[in-house]
């Protein structure tokens, strides 16, 4: 990771540990992103940049839980839920009030 950080500081500023900002050309940005993806290993990476679109920015990710998705022309970040869905209990014959008390829903 240190080698990657040193490599990126040639073209970008490191404003926080592991956070790089800059305004390289599209060609340099694409080359940097390829190197980041190659050297990131088991780590994750997120690239945000300003293309020529109405939204004014775009995202690319590498091995990240958050994924950019297109929703009617607008790029959104899909964040998967960390909550584990509880199995729905089958409580036939119980009153609604009893079900609420037992399973904590109101």
């Amino acid at each position: 990771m240190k080698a990657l950080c040193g490599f990126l500081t040639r073209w970008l500023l490191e404003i926080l540990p592991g956070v790089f900002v800059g305004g390289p050309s599209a060609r340099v940005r694409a080359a940097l992103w390829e190197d980041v993806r190659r050297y990131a290993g088991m780590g994750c990476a997120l690239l945000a940049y300003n293309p020529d679109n109405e939204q004014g920015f775009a995202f690319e990710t590498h091995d990240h839980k958050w994924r950019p998705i297109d929703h009617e022309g607008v790029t959104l970040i899909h964040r998967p839920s960390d909550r584990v869905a509880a199995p729905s209990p089958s409580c036939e014959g119980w009153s609604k009030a009893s079900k609420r008390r037992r399973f904590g829903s109101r």
Side-chain angles (χ1 to χ4, degrees):
M1 182 68 178
K2 275 190 157 189
L4 178 60
C5 291
F7 175 75
L8 290 175
T9 56
R10 295 178 190 169
W11 291 276
L12 307 170
L13 295 172
E14 189 172 13
I15 59 170
L16 290 171
V19 178
F20 295 88
V21 296
S25 67
R27 185 174 58 108
V28 171
R29 181 184 67 237
L32 288 174
W33 183 241
E34 285 302 314
D35 288 337
V36 166
R37 293 182 65 193
R38 187 174 329 126
Y39 295 115
M42 297 300 291
C44 61
L46 175 78
L47 171 68
Y49 60 98
N50 58 342
D52 187 21
N53 65 12
E54 288 185 21
Q55 196 169 3
F57 58 89
F59 297 98
E60 291 187 39
T61 61
H62 171 71
D63 287 345
H64 204 283
K65 289 181 184 177
W66 296 8
R67 298 266 182 237
I69 58 169
D70 183 83
H71 179 72
E72 297 181 6
V74 176
T75 301
L76 303 173
I77 294 292
H78 176 260
R79 296 176 19 179
S81 176
D82 291 337
R83 294 182 288 172
V84 178
S88 59
S90 64
C91 303
E92 279 190 46
W94 289 15
S95 69
K96 289 181 183 179
S98 176
K99 289 178 190 176
R100 286 188 198 122
R101 280 194 303 273
R102 182 173 172 99
F103 298 109
S105 60
R106 295 184 184 241

